[in-house]
Amino acid sequence: MAMPQTKPAPVATTDIAVSARSVSKTYGETEALRDMTIEFPRGQLTSLLGPSGCGKTTLLKIIAGLLEPNSGTIEVNGKPVTGPGEDRAFVFQDFALLPWASVMRNVAFGLELRGVAKSEREAIAAKYIADVGLKGFEKSFPHELSGGMRQRVGLARALSVNADVLLMDEPFSAVDEQTRRKFQEDLLSLVQNENKTFIFVTHSIEEAVYVSDQIALLLPRPSRVSEIIRPSGLRMKDVDNIRRDPEYLDTVDRIWALLRSYVE
Amino acid sequence: MTLYGYRLPAMSSLILWGLLWEAIGQMEVSFFVPPLSEVIVTLFEVVQTSAFQKALWETAYAFLAGVFFSIVIGIPTGILMGKNRLIDELLLPWVNIFLSVPLTALVPVLMVLFGFGMTSIIITTTLFAIWIIILNARVGVMQINRSLVDMARSFGASPWDAFVKIYFWAALPEILGGVRIGIIRAVKGVIIGQLLISIVGFGALFELYSNNFLMSHFWAVLLVLFALAFSISELLAMLERRVAYYAAKR
Amino acid sequence: MTDQSQRTLATAASQGRPPLTKPARRDFFGRLTPALVKHRPLVLKLVSAAVVFGAWEIAGRIPVSYAFPTFIESMAALWSMTVDGSLFVAYGETLKPLVVGILISTFIGVAVGMWIGLAKWADWLFSPIFIVMQAAPLAALIPLLVMIYGIGLTSKVFVVCIMAMPVIVLNTAGAVRNTPSSFIEMGQSFLASRAEVIGKIILPAASPVIFSGLRLGVSAGFIGAILAELKITPTGVGDIISYSRSVADYASMYAAIFSIIVLAVVFLNLLERIELTLFEGNARGYASD
Ligand SMILES: Nc1ncnc2c1ncn2[C@@H]1O[C@H](COP(=O)(O)OP(=O)(O)OP(=O)(O)O)[C@@H](O)[C@H]1O
Ligand SMILES: [Mg+2]
């Protein structure tokens, strides 16, 4: 490939939060993932970028322990994944909010299922509700919120369980452009401030370049990693200037050049 | 409907129909249609008779028992069908058949098997109500948003938690919808059962009045019955609307 | 996190490696009998029928009741009724009020339903009657109908009509009322006349729901037709049921009931098939995922 790429440096295992090794997954006749190997460094945000239907959701669900791979292993913090665990939290593309429960209960739901006492979990939830900017909406119901606000409820719920790894499946796809930009900035500061590992699925090249420490480009089905791109210089820049940065623009162009062939 | 700027309340046209009834009755167009006023006067007499109260009690008893059995059997069966493909495929054809088949034809069988009494009527009522309850509970469980289930699993919900906190609530609008239609069907079932078996409840009362040509008695009982059935159906629709706010938002 | 070179790098390790050829996991049935898997719905239907009829046979042999013939006895009775033609004669009788009643209900029901759906005042005037009829146990009217129209065909047709009509009217009215207003506005923007809007937009848009109302109406009409034969005068299949019960020929009674159920199922399935063929496009429009 024409892409300049740094040679893979030997990596201390402690630095890798999540790793997928030779993961394959077939749905009946459809081969979604074939021998996929990818590592996610701790404290960083990795985007999965690839054509629709290439298996991004599938990979995320396998990491979450919601799906079982046909072969291969997933390790989180060095331990193989056998099912859902407290070290991972999922942000659903369609929010997956309980329509019959208030914002407070929705945000506290993960803690509720983990058996945290009511007063304690509501205190934690209240903090995250405020963090995502929904203070005052604790008693509202999902149908009374806008799409962006619902998405924030889903985000607050995932954050409130304080998992090491956040799995986000196109979390901003249902919100308007302004909200989306706001979320992207919030996400950047979240990555900065919390030592969490983010795995982030998106369809937007610009978004991926803007928020990611590394971007994994996936091939069409059966999916493998085609390339890893690290817009490393950008992370040092001031958030407000990233979109004007030449490296940002170059990286976007480069990725588009690579992905274009799949679209055509 | 608005008239000269006034919004006429829903169902207010029934007053007009009542007046028409009264007029036809006063003009003595037909022996079979006594004036509404006469029917209403009779109504107040009839409801005080012990024959009416006995019929009402017997009907209510059979109705409530039938509804009870169809809910208690129907909802778990439907949920089970929604969760288990094999059970679903084995039972679904039968549920569909009995949902639309003329159940009246089965009443003679019930009569020879269970006698001419309460048992047969209760079973008839159950048979009328249960299939739609099963079917709706099944649909309710099947349409539960996959993400909700995944979400609960990703937080490590136990099967019991998932059932109590997700499945039941997520399927509730459909379940209630099924129960509402089931109950309306049960009202019809209990009356059909009584008419065919005819020595209990309103069936017997109708027989008595029509054999003696007591027209206003007949209409009075009919009015009471229709009003009761309509109130039940409206009440249930109201209850259902209270959970409808989230039915569309899953 | 200042030194970028210390940042770790994920590896795209699979490139160039031969693909892992591991066959997809198949379940037990899948390997054994692919044909069985392919026809699974049909096979399970047959299994399900076999279980129920088998249980019937066993219950009949115990017997659970003196009035409970075995499945085989009942089928034998059905066969002899079919062979000597009495079943066909009976259905000739039974279907008469049913067909007449359904036809009347369809024409009047769809017309009134359209009217209710299109005109506000018709909605106000007529809707309440059909809403009450839909909720009320109309079977209670039968003794009255018998008093007025006697025990002949008229009463039976009436019974079928009062059972079938409300659902047809309400479905039609609802479907017409719920025609998306953008459809109608589209028509108006092309200067369609009122008649054209009704005939070319509202009616086609509403027809799937109208048709399913008809199917429900037929189902209710069946109930009415059998009820009429059992309650008013035993004719047709109702006569076979009543007569064989009175002479304790339970096998014939069960056979007659069985035949009604089969007839209703076949007929309603046929209607559903027609519905699917007629409105295939509409169904496709809603396809998602
Ligand atoms: N439950 C399933 N049954 C059968 N095939 C499935 C299932 N889920 C996904 N697939 C198939 O697997 C492939 C990958 O699906 P996946 O949802 O992971 O794609 P994706 O990359 O998330 O796509 P998108 O960007 O459109 O969300 C698709 O081709 C899809 O058809
Ligand atoms: Mg996806």
Side-chain angles (χ1 to χ4, degrees), chain C residues 216-237:
Chain C
L216 294 175
V218 170
S219 171
F222 255 108
I223 292 186
I226 305 301
L227 185 59
E229 287 196 330
L230 290 174
K231 180 71 193 170
I232 300 176
T233 35
T235 49
V237 193

Side-chain angles (χ1 to χ4, degrees), chain B:
Chain B
M1 165 98 180
T2 51
L3 199 64
Y4 305 118
Y6 283 104
R7 254 193 69 80
L8 296 173
M11 308 306 281
S12 55
S13 66
L14 286 181
I15 297 171
L16 204 67
W17 290 107
L19 291 176
L20 185 70
W21 178 352
E22 178 68 24
I24 292 176
Q26 293 293 352
M27 290 188 297
E28 296 184 13
V29 174
S30 160
F31 162 74
F32 299 104
V33 188
L36 179 60
S37 51
E38 191 187 317
V39 172
I40 290 175
V41 171
T42 319
L43 193 153
F44 284 103
E45 288 166 17
V46 167
V47 293
Q48 286 163 14
T49 61
S50 65
F52 175 86
Q53 284 164 2
K54 183 163 164 282
L56 186 66
W57 163 242
E58 280 169 348
T59 309
Y61 177 76
F63 167 74
L64 290 176
V67 168
F68 173 79
F69 287 122
S70 48
I71 288 179
V72 166
I73 303 169
I75 293 178
T77 309
I79 291 181
L80 210 61
M81 284 171 70
K83 301 271 307 151
N84 184 306
R85 182 165 161 213
L86 184 68
I87 294 179
D88 188 40
E89 281 174 309
L90 287 176
L91 294 186
L92 188 61
W94 295 104
V95 174
N96 274 329
I97 285 176
F98 283 106
L99 183 71
S100 50
V101 113
L103 291 168
T104 29
L106 286 178
V107 177
V109 175
L110 298 177
M111 275 151 73
V112 298
L113 287 181
F114 301 100
F116 290 71
M118 211 44 136
T119 320
S120 295
I121 296 180
I122 293 177
I123 296 176
T124 308
T125 312
T126 309
L127 282 179
F128 267 78
I130 195 168
W131 311 107
I132 190 72
I133 295 180
I134 294 180
L135 214 57
N136 267 41
R138 167 183 180 273
V139 170
V141 168
M142 287 178 91
Q143 57 75 51
I144 293 177
N145 188 344
R146 257 247 51 100
S147 289
L148 279 189
V149 180
D150 275 348
M151 186 271 290
R153 281 183 59 212
S154 81
F155 285 124
S158 66
W160 175 247
D161 264 351
F163 186 84
V164 173
K165 294 185 171 168
I166 306 281
Y167 290 119
F168 178 76
W169 292 98
L172 192 60
E174 279 80 8
I175 292 180
L176 282 183
V179 169
R180 181 176 64 83
I181 305 174
I183 286 180
I184 294 171
R185 285 176 160 231
V187 173
K188 301 179 177 183
V190 78
I191 296 299
I192 286 176
Q194 290 186 350
L195 278 175
L196 289 177
I197 299 166
S198 89
I199 52 168
V200 275
F202 286 118
L205 213 54
F206 283 131
E207 208 84 336
L208 178 74
Y209 293 155
S210 59
N211 288 343
N212 295 305
F213 296 99
L214 295 168
M215 288 324 300
S216 42
H217 285 71
F218 192 95
W219 281 110
V221 173
L222 217 53
L223 268 190
V224 173
L225 207 56
F226 280 20
L228 278 179
F230 180 69
S231 316
I232 291 175
S233 137
E234 283 301 292
L235 193 76
L236 291 166
M238 221 170 68
L239 281 180
E240 204 186 339
R241 253 174 264 132
R242 292 186 58 171
V243 292
Y245 72 88
Y246 73 71
K249 298 277 185 187
R250 274 165 304 183

Side-chain angles (χ1 to χ4, degrees), chain A residues 3 12 21 25 40 64 77 89 134-136 155-156 162 173 180 190 193 206 211-212 228 242 247-248 261:
Chain A
M3 271 278 304
R21 274 193 251 293
K25 175 73 188 175
F40 302 92
N77 296 328
L134 286 178
K135 208 173 172 61
L155 202 60
N162 196 24
S173 59
R180 193 182 175 106
L190 215 62
N193 301 331
E206 283 83 0
V211 300
S212 310
I228 299 282
I242 294 180
E247 187 184 348
Y248 169 83
S261 55

Side-chain angles (χ1 to χ4, degrees), chain C residues 264-288:
Chain C
V265 167
V266 168
F267 193 58
L268 291 168
N269 271 338
L270 198 71
L271 280 182
E272 205 173 333
R273 203 59 65 76
I274 294 175
E275 200 174 329
L276 284 179
T277 337
L278 280 180
F279 305 116
E280 207 189 352
N282 297 54
R284 218 184 282 137
Y286 294 111
S288 60

Side-chain angles (χ1 to χ4, degrees), chain C residues 231-252:
Chain C
K231 180 71 193 170
I232 300 176
T233 35
T235 49
V237 193
D239 184 36
I240 300 184
I241 296 174
S242 304
Y243 176 76
S244 45
R245 193 181 78 198
S246 65
V247 299
D249 177 6
Y250 294 114
S252 300

Side-chain angles (χ1 to χ4, degrees), chain A residues 27 30 32 50-59 93 169-170 203 221:
Chain A
Y27 294 105
T30 320
S52 185
C54 76
K56 303 180 294 291
T57 300
T58 305
L59 178 64
Q93 182 175 353
D169 190 4
E170 298 184 37
H203 272 146
R221 228 179 35 227

Side-chain angles (χ1 to χ4, degrees), chain C residues 179-193:
Chain C
T179 310
S181 55
S182 60
F183 283 21
I184 298 167
E185 283 157 12
M186 180 273 290
Q188 286 166 345
S189 76
F190 288 121
L191 304 179
S193 67

